[in-house]
């Protein structure tokens, strides 16, 4: 044992030396102990089946086989595969072995020329059908004008030999399973393949491996193979006793492929959402949340969407049975703005606005319902708020449409806010997301004027539309008691994800494909 630090240091060094250098101290062939054991067994047996090696080497079958293949790679052994074909009679084969092949049954029954018609009376038409083909093929008979004319003789064929041979063997061995070899002298390959085609035989293949020692293997073995105990794990006992110094350490296989390790990480879509959230937070916005279930009032009416607007119809919206009372504070004002423009100076949509319809609950079709409600609660600026959350529409699912999807909603309310500020703000956001070129096309939404649709340039795709934006109309702001200009937008999030992650199908975002998630690289795209 080491007595002082210096000794311990010395001991440590020596140990490292032994561990490193003994690992690389290898024989010419660098055989593992398993390979050595198999080679020794082979040296004794010359040629062996796996089970013989298993017996001598005391390794299991898999380990022996693996070692044999490694020895083969090194030219010390050779692995030969031998396939044995085993046969038995099928149900039909057994029947014919007992009663004779159909052609034999017919030919034996003939007493001279016989019309086929007559045969069909004494045998099944099916059997006659099978038999005639083979009678002609085997030249046991001819057919002339529907009459079967037998040849002089019908010698027993190899096929019949095979059937009776297998039948006897099966009876003797008490099994009709395919366990019998067919010696080459009994039947030609053609005969066997015909019987197989006639489905009279069952066949099974059975592969055995023979392992042989090569000349190189022999000469290597003749020099004497020593199997030294390998230490895989060093123990305190080995260290204490000092025995470690004389041991042989199992070498590291540095070439061995390791299992991939996947670090835990957030879902790529979640990472993208977090990135968007981070950008808006950095731009001084406050994150807001709202209910998934909204009344039609907040989802549509407060946004000056007429009650006969197509977006409110069944195919777009998930309608619920429940209702929410329309807020008393706004209901008259909203009615007025829809019917005649109220205090806004607009003429409204005309007709009669129904608070019954406004009460109906829906799954929010856009997150604008969240921002507009927030503005109603906070009608005095400055407000800079965003909401990144899920919206729902009755869409037919396809690669670019899912009934649930995320939107990035935002509002800015302040005294001197202008349309130019809106464009600047969105451009800044997309630039921070890594989209360098941004443009705005005129758009239409019932609640904004002017309205735009932002687009970003993607190499290979061109301009891609990413949502809607605009300045809230007086018809939206006035009934809620808002006097300052409001810039608003609702942007598609999954579209951006498709672009960033290179997806062709939106549905991939919502499927739990663990491999895709594991292999997704952080920093790639997002
Ligand atoms: N709500 C719109 C987007 C939008 C929001 C705000 C202002 C203008 C447009 C949509 O879902 O497509």
């Amino acid at each position: 044992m080491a007595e002082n630090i210096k000794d311990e240091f010395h001991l440590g060094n020596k140990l490292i030396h032994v561990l490193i250098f003994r690992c690389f101290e290898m024989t010419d062939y660098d055989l593992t102990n398993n390979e050595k054991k198999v080679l020794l067994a082979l040296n004794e047996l010359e040629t062996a089946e796996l089970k013989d090696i298993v017996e001598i080497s005391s390794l299991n079958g898999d380990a022996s086989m693996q070692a044999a293949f490694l020895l083969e790679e090194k030219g010390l052994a050779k692995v030969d595969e031998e396939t044995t074909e085993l046969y038995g009679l099928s149900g039909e084969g057994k029947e014919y072995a007992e009663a004779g092949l159909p052609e034999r049954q017919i030919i034996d029954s003939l007493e001279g020329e016989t019309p086929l018609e007559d045969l069909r009376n004494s045998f099944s038409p099916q059997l006659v059908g099978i038999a005639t083909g083979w009678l002609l093929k085997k030249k046991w008979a001819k057919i002339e004008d529907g009459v079967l004319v037998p040849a002089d003789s019908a010698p027993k064929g190899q096929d019949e030999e095979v059937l009776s041979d297998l039948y006897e063997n099966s009876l003797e061995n008490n099994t009709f399973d395919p366990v019998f070899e067919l010696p080459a002298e009994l039947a030609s390959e053609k005969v066997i393949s015909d019987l197989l085609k006639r489905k009279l035989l069952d066949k099974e293949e059975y592969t055995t491996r023979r392992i042989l020692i090569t000349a190189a293997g022999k000469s290597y073995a003749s020099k004497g193979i020593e199997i030294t105990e390998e230490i895989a794990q060093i123990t305190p006992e080995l260290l204490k006793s000092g025995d470690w110094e004389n041991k042989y350490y199992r070498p590291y296989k540095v070439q061995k492929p390791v299992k991939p390790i996947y670090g835990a990480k957030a879902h790529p879509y979640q990472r993208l959402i977090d990135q968007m959230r981070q950008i808006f937070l950095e731009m001084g916005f406050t994150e807001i949340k709202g209910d998934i279930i909204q009344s039609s009032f907040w989802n549509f009416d407060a946004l000056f969407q007429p009650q006969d607007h197509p977006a409110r119809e069944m195919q777009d919206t998930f309608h619920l049975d429940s209702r929410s009372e329309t807020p008393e504070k706004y209901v008259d004002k909203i009615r007025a703005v829809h019917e005649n423009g109220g205090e806004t100076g607009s003429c409204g949509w005309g007709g009669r606005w129904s608070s019954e319809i406004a009460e109906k609950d829906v799954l929010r079709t856009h997150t604008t319902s969240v921002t507009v409600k927030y503005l109603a609660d906070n009608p005095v600026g400055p407000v800079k708020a965003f909401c990144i959350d899920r919206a729902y529409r009755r869409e037919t699912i396809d690669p670019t449409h899912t009934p649930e999807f995320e939107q990035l909603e935002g509002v800015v309310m302040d005294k001197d806010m202008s349309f130019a500020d809106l464009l600047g703000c969105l451009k800044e956001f997309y630039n921070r997301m890594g989209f360098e070129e941004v443009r705005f096309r005129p758009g239409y939404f019932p609640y904004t004027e002017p309205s735009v649709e932002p687009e970003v340039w993607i190499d290979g795709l061109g301009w891609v539309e990413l949502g809607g934006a605009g300045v809230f109309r007086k018809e939206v702001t006035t009934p809620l008691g808002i006097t300052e200009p409001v810039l608003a937008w609702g942007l598609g999030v999954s579209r951006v994800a498709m672009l960033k992650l290179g997806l062709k199908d939106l549905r991939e975002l919502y499927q739990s494909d663990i491999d895709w998630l594991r292999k997704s690289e952080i920093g790639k795209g997002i």
Side-chain angles (χ1 to χ4, degrees), residues 365-366 368 393 407 409-410 445 447-448 467-470 472 488-491:
T365 62
H366 53 186
T368 321
R393 284 183 204 167
Q407 285 195 316
E409 198 77 29
F445 301 96
Y447 31 96
T448 47
F472 271 158
W489 57 86
L491 311 175

Side-chain angles (χ1 to χ4, degrees), residues 287-346:
E287 182 169 9
I288 59 171
K289 288 273 172 197
D291 296 333
I292 288 170
I293 296 176
Q294 294 282 349
S295 61
S296 296
F297 183 87
W298 289 114
N299 195 77
F300 301 119
D301 297 282
L303 286 163
F304 195 52
Q305 294 193 59
Q307 292 193 325
D308 58 2
H309 193 282
R312 296 173 78 130
E313 277 165 22
M314 293 303 275
Q315 67 270 30
D316 273 324
T317 307
F318 287 109
H319 290 272
L320 305 175
D321 286 338
S322 60
R323 291 176 170 269
S324 301
E325 240 174 84
T326 43
E328 225 175 285
K329 193 170 165 195
Y330 310 114
V331 69
D332 290 338
K333 294 204 158 103
I334 294 291
R335 172 179 292 111
V337 97
H338 276 253
E339 290 183 356
N340 53 44
E343 300 157 21
T344 61
S346 138

Side-chain angles (χ1 to χ4, degrees), residues 15 18-19 22-23 33 227-239 241 243-252:
L15 179 63
V18 170
L19 286 178
R22 297 263 169 92
C23 286
N33 270 355
I227 296 178
T228 26
E229 186 207 352
E230 282 179 343
I231 307 279
Q233 189 91 46
I234 200 150
T235 59
E237 288 69 35
L238 278 171
L239 285 173
S241 64
D243 277 357
W244 61 269
E245 265 196 275
N246 313 312
K247 296 287 180 194
Y248 176 77
Y249 296 90
R250 179 178 296 168
Y252 284 115

